[in-house]
């Protein structure tokens, strides 16, 4: 367990203690203010080089990270490795050695293989590694920005600032995560963030989309999605990749929607206070109805907007050790 | 090369007893076993004080990678690794490129093997190209001396193909060997299935996949009356199933690999591909069950599943890296440790590492056609001189840079082990001494 992200790699959200999580959220809140300025730039990472290494394409996450790094005045090396020599059989170790030789302070990496960021951190011990999503394993900054969004919304309802509430708004909070838990790195990071901050987490999914050994996770697994909805303060909907719905894991996308989709009919039965989240990109009409995604209960666009300040906080703490002017 | 050797001061481990004796080896044979032997003329004396003198070890399961994958290992480098590990004979697995599924390819490996210091036997493929569809020329390969057949790397997926293979093999007196993992359950799997895999986001290879194929094959053996060998069993239940079938009278044998009784799935937690292997490292409970089975005699053999890979291939992401780890150079020490270290039963040690594997590979009598000598016998006058001088107390540290193997993918780097072959003698020649291949 790490009690602070300062100077550390961010590989697996399960490694962060509650105080470390709160530190990131509080720091992100400060950066929200920076992002509201006319000049949205601070010198915290001036002279530092951050490599953005996306072995798997993700325009949204990559832009969010690169924007965050630039607003901290870092030099950003953006390498489109998804289409470079890596495809021609270059090993992870060789790729990272090449990048390291350019003189970098940090690498933000996305990879289709679980654990790739953990391996890279071992290959380049003097470079800070930020995991931007590895296979089915973790997507730590998504978990952080989801927790940040949730705390902001709950704090606003009480007329407070998030940073004045620590983790207290998570105590007793009932979060229901629904969908393809098995193949979701977001689910794993969300569970780590919410449980780490003190919330009660339930999971709902078809049996084939639950991870192996989920009974050992610090969560409840609910069999009846409809029945569990009424008891949720927050519903986190996960993306269902189309290829899972062709009979391999669920018989069809429409059957998934019928059993586990957050449809307008289901939402109509919820308390108006219920918060609806989705990490994006959405498959409207599959795991979430379009009208639900655009409803007042949805905080999905806030999640997207919070990506930059949360990633600024992560880079600031991890790469600058939480020091330096801004 | 000194033609005569005298092993002085050791303890000869026979089938049922052990006694202090010196051993003289000349012209490929053990010529004298006596309380005290004088070295005459040019005889080389090997100090065997404190050592066990037993039959050279026999490995049922070595991937020597030639032909096709020589960047990882060659028959020669694999044989040197074997010799250093105390082995006098190894069975080369057929999952080369191309697969060993024809007389020509088997003959090639046997010929290459004959140029090494040890005896290299061959396991032929059960099916053409190891594709699991059409039978390979099992009878022709058997006529060349092949006694074990397997599609190892994968099991024969089709129950009907396997049934036919067993029926075809039964009258030939050869034994089929199976890598038991039901393919439909392990397609993308990279580590043991269970809570740890779920947390790490790695796709699992369930114990159930192994156990289902063991169950299927036991029933096929029962139905066909053939004999069969189960490769690298890794779960408590799989071992229990085979042991029960043997008590019923089926002619089935089983091996376990050192990594499965020394390492558990938690080794995968750091995503280091060195620990990726098929079948995967299992639970701690399975590790304990395997160790108990070794002591209880519920498995016949320890086999290395020596699986060299070129260094760069283990620098890939965990799910992209090839499965397999080195075994030949440290299997004996790990087996000794599992049998109780200094308390280990030397008879059980040689049973698991030499006598039973030699019987399973039908190397007890040797095979003049392919110049293989007799293995797994007694250290007695007149026997082929395939002998290991093993020091059960020598402490040594595994150094991946100092292995005889071309590859470096040992999961035991920097680990200090106890027990090492001081001298390996094959057909009367000293082929390894004090950790160096000669």
């Amino acid at each position: 367990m790490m009690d602070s992200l300062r100077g550390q790699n961010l590989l697996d959200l399960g490694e962060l203690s509650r105080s470390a999580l709160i530190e990131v959220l509080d720091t992100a809140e400060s950066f929200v203010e920076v992002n509201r300025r006319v000049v949205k730039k601070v010198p915290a990472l001036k002279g530092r080089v951050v490599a953005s290494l996306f072995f798997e394409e993700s325009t949204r996450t990559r832009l969010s990270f690169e924007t965050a790094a630039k607003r901290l005045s870092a030099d950003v090396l953006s390498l489109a490795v998804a289409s470079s020599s890596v495809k021609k059989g270059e090993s992870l170790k060789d790729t990272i050695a090449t990048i390291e030789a350019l003189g970098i302070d940090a690498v933000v990496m996305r990879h289709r293989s679980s654990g790739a960021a953990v391996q890279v951190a071992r290959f380049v011990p003097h470079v800070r590694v930020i995991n931007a999503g590895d296979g089915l394993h973790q997507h730590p900054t998504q978990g952080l920005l989801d927790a940040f969004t949730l705390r902001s919304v709950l704090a606003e309802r009480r007329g407070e600032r998030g940073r004045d509430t620590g983790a207290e708004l998570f105590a007793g909070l009932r979060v229901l995560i629904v969908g393809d838990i098995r193949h979701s790195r977001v689910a794993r990071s969300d569970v780590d963030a919410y449980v780490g901050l003190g919330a009660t987490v339930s999971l709902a999914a078809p049996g084939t989309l639950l991870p192996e050994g989920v009974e050992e996770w610090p969560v409840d697994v609910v069999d009846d999605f409809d029945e569990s909805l009424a008891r949720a303060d927050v519903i986190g909907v996960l993306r269902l990749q189309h290829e899972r719905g062709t009979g391999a894991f669920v018989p069809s996308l429409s059957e998934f929607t019928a059993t586990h989709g957050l449809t307008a009919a289901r939402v109509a039965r919820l308390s108006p206070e219920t918060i609806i989240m989705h990490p994006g990109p959405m498959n409207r009409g599959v795991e979430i109805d379009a009208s639900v995604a655009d409803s007042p209960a949805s905080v999905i666009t806030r999640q997207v907007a919070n990506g930059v300040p949360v990633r600024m906080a992560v880079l600031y703490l991890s790469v600058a050790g939480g020091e330096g002017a801004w | 090369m000194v033609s005569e050797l005298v092993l002085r001061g050791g303890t000869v481990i026979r089938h049922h007893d052990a006694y202090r004796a010196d051993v003289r080896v000349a012209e490929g044979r053990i010529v004298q076993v006596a309380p005290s032997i004088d070295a005459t003329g040019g005889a080389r004396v090997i100090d065997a004080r404190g050592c066990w003198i037993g039959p050279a070890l026999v490995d049922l399961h070595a991937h020597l990678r030639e032909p096709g994958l020589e960047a990882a290992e060659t028959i020669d480098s694999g044989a040197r690794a074997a010799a250093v590990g105390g082995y006098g004979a190894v069975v080369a697995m057929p999952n080369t490129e191309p697969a060993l599924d024809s007389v020509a390819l088997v003959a090639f490996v046997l010929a290459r093997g004959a140029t090494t210091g040890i005896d290299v036997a061959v396991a032929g493929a059960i099916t053409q190209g190891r594709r699991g569809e059409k039978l390979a020329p099992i009878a022709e390969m058997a006529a060349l001396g092949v006694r074990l057949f397997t599609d190892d790397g994968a099991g024969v997926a089709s129950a009907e193909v396997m049934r036919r293979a067993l029926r075809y093999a039964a009258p030939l007196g050869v034994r089929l060997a199976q890598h038991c993992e039901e393919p439909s359950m392990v397609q993308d799997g990279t580590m043991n299935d269970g809570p740890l895999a779920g947390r790490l986001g790695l796709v699992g290879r369930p114990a159930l996949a192994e156990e289902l194929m063991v169950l299927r094959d036991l029933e096929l053996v029962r139905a066909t009356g053939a004999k069969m060998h189960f490769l690298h069993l890794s779960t408590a239940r799989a071992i229990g199933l085979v042991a029960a079938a043997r008590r019923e009278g089926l002619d089935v044998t089983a091996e376990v690999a050192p990594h499965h009784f020394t390492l558990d799935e938690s080794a995968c937690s750091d995503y280091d591909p060195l620990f990726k292997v098929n079948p995967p490292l299992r639970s701690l409970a399975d590790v304990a069950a395997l160790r108990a089975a070794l002591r209880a005699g519920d498995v016949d053999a320890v086999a290395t599943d020596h699986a060299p890979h070129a260094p760069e291939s283990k620098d890939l992401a965990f799910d992209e890296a090839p499965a397999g780890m080195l075994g030949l150079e440290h299997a004996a020490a790990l087996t000794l440790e599992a049998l109780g270290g200094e308390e280990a039963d030397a008879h059980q040690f040689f049973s698991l590492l030499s006598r039973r594997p030699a019987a399973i590979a039908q190397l007890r009598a040797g095979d003049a056609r392919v110049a293989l000598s007799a293995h797994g016998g007694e250290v007695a006058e007149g026997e082929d001189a395939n002998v290991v001088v093993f020091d059960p107390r020598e402490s040594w540290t595994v150094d991946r840079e100092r292995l005889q193997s071309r590859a470096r993918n040992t999961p035991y780097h920097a680990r200090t082990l106890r027990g090492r072959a001081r001298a390996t003698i094959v057909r009367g020649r000293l082929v390894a001494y004090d950790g160096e291949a000669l």
Side-chain angles (χ1 to χ4, degrees):
Chain A
M1 269 294 185
M2 290 190 275
D3 279 323
S4 171
L5 184 60
R6 288 171 191 265
Q8 304 293 316
N9 297 326
L10 181 61
L11 305 173
D12 181 334
L13 217 42
E15 295 174 343
L16 265 59
S17 71
R18 181 170 299 181
S19 59
L21 291 167
I22 293 172
E23 182 182 38
V24 177
L25 304 194
D26 291 351
T27 307
E29 200 163 302
S30 311
F31 285 120
V32 168
E33 288 152 22
V34 171
N35 281 287
R36 290 202 186 106
R37 296 182 195 161
V38 178
V39 177
K40 301 175 177 60
K41 200 158 182 169
V42 295
L45 290 186
K46 195 167 176 57
R48 311 279 184 121
V49 182
V50 176
S52 152
L53 211 54
F54 278 63
F55 294 84
E56 180 184 75
E57 193 42 67
S58 169
T59 311
R60 296 155 49 110
T61 306
R62 187 169 55 81
L63 285 178
S64 178
F65 263 113
E66 291 178 7
T67 304
K70 285 172 183 166
R71 287 189 184 168
L72 293 168
S73 304
D75 292 328
V76 177
L77 280 178
S78 181
L79 293 114
V81 277
S83 56
S84 77
S85 62
V86 177
K87 277 191 174 166
K88 298 165 199 145
E90 185 175 280
S91 76
L92 197 54
K93 194 174 193 169
D94 287 343
T95 308
I96 200 67
T98 306
I99 306 300
E100 188 192 22
L102 299 174
I104 58 171
D105 299 287
V107 56
V108 171
M109 66 171 282
R110 159 74 58 97
H111 200 285
R112 64 190 167 278
S113 298
S114 297
V118 179
Q119 289 176 280
V120 163
R122 203 159 48 230
F123 296 148
V124 287
H126 305 298
V127 172
R128 292 284 69 79
V129 179
I130 310 292
N131 183 3
D134 63 326
L136 312 180
H137 176 223
Q138 283 273 328
H139 192 352
T141 56
Q142 183 72 44
L144 289 167
L145 75 87
D146 287 348
F148 179 76
T149 302
L150 205 44
R151 190 178 77 164
S152 303
V153 171
L154 294 169
E156 276 168 27
R157 285 184 182 174
R158 302 219 315 203
E160 295 183 60
R161 293 189 311 178
R163 76 175 76 140
D164 296 328
T165 68
E168 67 186 63
L169 298 175
F170 291 93
L173 188 73
R174 297 167 303 180
V175 182
L176 173 65
I177 300 175
V178 59
D180 185 0
I181 317 282
R182 185 182 186 88
H183 301 105
S184 176
R185 54 190 170 219
V186 174
R188 288 169 175 80
S189 290
D190 275 352
V191 167
D192 286 337
Y194 298 150
V195 172
L197 289 163
T200 302
V201 177
S202 302
L203 305 178
T208 47
L209 295 180
L210 284 169
E212 209 62 42
V214 71
E215 59 280 356
E216 296 192 5
W217 291 24
V219 300
D220 295 320
V221 177
V222 298
D223 290 332
D224 188 334
F225 175 51
D226 279 298
E227 190 258 340
S228 65
L229 278 171
R231 284 181 279 109
D233 302 312
V234 180
I235 300 168
V237 182
L238 297 171
R239 172 180 169 80
L240 183 77
Q241 291 191 352
H242 281 283
E243 64 264 28
R244 313 285 184 211
T246 55
F249 287 89
V250 292
S252 67
L253 294 176
S254 59
E255 180 159 318
F256 177 82
T257 306
T259 60
H260 288 84
L262 195 62
T263 58
R266 286 193 167 104
V267 171
R269 300 199 299 272
L270 300 177
S271 145
E273 298 279 279
T274 311
I275 297 168
I276 294 169
M277 307 179 78
H278 190 300
M282 289 181 278
N283 292 307
R284 291 172 184 254
V286 180
E287 72 269 4
I288 189 165
D289 274 4
S291 64
V292 173
D294 300 331
S295 73
S298 160
V299 298
I300 296 169
T301 53
R302 290 188 62 162
Q303 289 174 269
V304 176
N306 286 333
V308 171
V310 167
R311 289 174 176 125
M312 288 173 79
V314 165
L315 288 167
Y316 174 68
L317 291 168
S318 170
V319 184
E323 288 167 21
W326 60 277
Chain B
M1 197 75 216
V2 179
S3 61
E4 192 171 313
L5 299 168
V6 172
L7 318 180
R8 186 173 284 165
T11 300
V12 171
I13 312 295
R14 300 201 303 184
H15 267 100
H16 300 293
D17 57 8
Y19 63 102
R20 240 287 307 130
D22 292 353
V23 176
R24 187 200 302 273
V25 166
E27 290 169 7
R29 302 262 171 176
I30 296 169
V31 294
Q32 191 183 6
V33 181
S36 180
I37 297 175
D38 288 333
T40 55
R44 174 166 178 177
V45 175
I46 290 170
D47 182 1
R49 283 174 296 176
C51 295
W52 295 339
I53 300 176
L57 311 185
V58 175
D59 187 21
L60 287 169
H61 197 145
H63 297 278
L64 301 185
R65 302 301 191 211
E66 192 179 349
L69 301 157
E70 291 84 354
E73 195 80 288
T74 62
I75 292 166
D76 188 63
S77 65
R80 293 166 69 88
V84 164
Y87 288 90
V90 301
V91 179
M93 287 285 118
N95 61 334
T96 47
E97 287 181 10
L100 306 183
D101 64 354
S102 72
V103 165
L105 286 160
V106 169
F108 166 80
V109 175
L110 288 171
R112 276 294 162 88
T115 68
T116 71
I118 67 163
D119 280 338
V120 177
V122 170
I126 295 173
T127 65
Q128 295 174 29
R130 296 173 52 250
R131 284 186 294 273
E133 293 160 4
K134 297 174 178 167
L135 296 181
I138 294 173
E140 281 181 16
M141 288 190 273
L144 208 59
V146 177
R147 290 291 173 265
L148 278 174
F149 292 86
T150 179
D151 280 359
D152 181 54
V156 175
S158 158
E160 182 55 20
V161 171
M162 194 61 197
R163 184 165 72 141
R164 287 181 194 162
L166 286 164
R167 279 183 165 166
Y168 194 79
L172 301 175
V174 300
R175 192 178 288 267
L176 302 193
Q178 190 82 292
H179 173 134
C180 287
E181 280 190 292
E182 162 57 37
S184 66
M185 298 181 89
V186 297
Q187 269 172 0
D188 304 315
T190 58
M191 72 167 285
N192 188 38
D193 204 20
L196 183 61
R199 193 167 68 68
L200 294 172
L202 292 172
V203 180
R205 303 176 76 91
L208 183 60
E210 176 171 331
E211 292 149 5
L212 282 177
M213 197 177 262
V214 168
L215 268 171
R216 183 198 77 174
D217 285 357
L218 287 173
E219 292 309 308
L220 291 174
V221 166
R222 196 190 307 279
T224 57
K227 49 187 168 191
M228 189 156 164
H229 179 65
F230 290 90
L231 301 166
H232 47 44
L233 293 182
S234 67
T235 81
R237 180 135 175 79
I239 285 167
L241 289 167
V242 175
R246 189 166 30 200
R247 285 194 291 273
E248 281 180 54
L250 298 188
D251 186 353
V252 288
T253 53
E255 67 181 39
V256 294
H259 45 267
H260 286 131
F261 59 75
T262 54
L263 301 168
D264 73 282
E265 61 180 347
S266 67
C268 301
S269 297
D270 295 330
Y271 301 94
D272 186 340
L274 277 180
F275 298 97
K276 181 178 174 181
V277 63
N278 297 334
L281 302 178
R282 300 291 190 187
S283 69
L284 274 174
D286 287 315
V287 172
L290 262 62
R291 293 171 87 90
L294 280 177
R295 295 185 193 208
D298 280 344
V299 293
D300 295 274
V302 169
T304 64
D305 194 8
H306 179 80
H309 288 292
E312 61 274 14
S313 66
K314 287 288 186 182
D315 291 337
L316 297 168
F318 195 87
D319 60 357
E320 293 172 346
M325 46 184 68
L326 297 181
L328 284 166
E329 296 181 57
H330 28 49
L334 296 165
T335 304
L336 183 76
E337 178 202 70
L339 290 175
E342 289 191 27
E343 307 293 307
D345 177 347
H347 301 285
Q348 185 69 347
F349 176 85
F350 283 106
S351 174
L352 288 164
L353 284 166
S354 179
R355 295 192 163 113
R356 288 294 298 148
I360 292 165
Q362 299 187 41
L363 291 171
R364 276 282 175 81
D367 191 326
R369 288 169 302 175
V370 287
L372 296 181
S373 56
H375 287 267
E378 291 290 22
V379 178
E381 288 170 19
E383 294 271 339
D384 283 351
N386 294 319
V387 175
V388 65
V389 177
F390 187 83
D391 182 350
R393 274 173 287 277
E394 185 183 338
S395 178
W396 62 288
T397 301
V398 180
D399 179 351
R400 65 182 163 221
E401 301 305 326
R402 299 198 53 205
L403 299 174
Q404 298 293 327
S405 173
R406 276 200 179 183
R408 296 284 172 269
N409 57 307
T410 171
Y412 303 105
H413 177 64
R415 187 151 150 176
T416 297
L417 303 176
R418 192 174 280 260
R420 192 173 206 187
R422 180 175 296 176
T424 309
I425 296 151
V426 180
R427 288 181 245 150
R429 285 186 59 221
L430 184 64
V431 294
Y433 184 77
D434 206 16
E436 299 293 335
L438 304 173

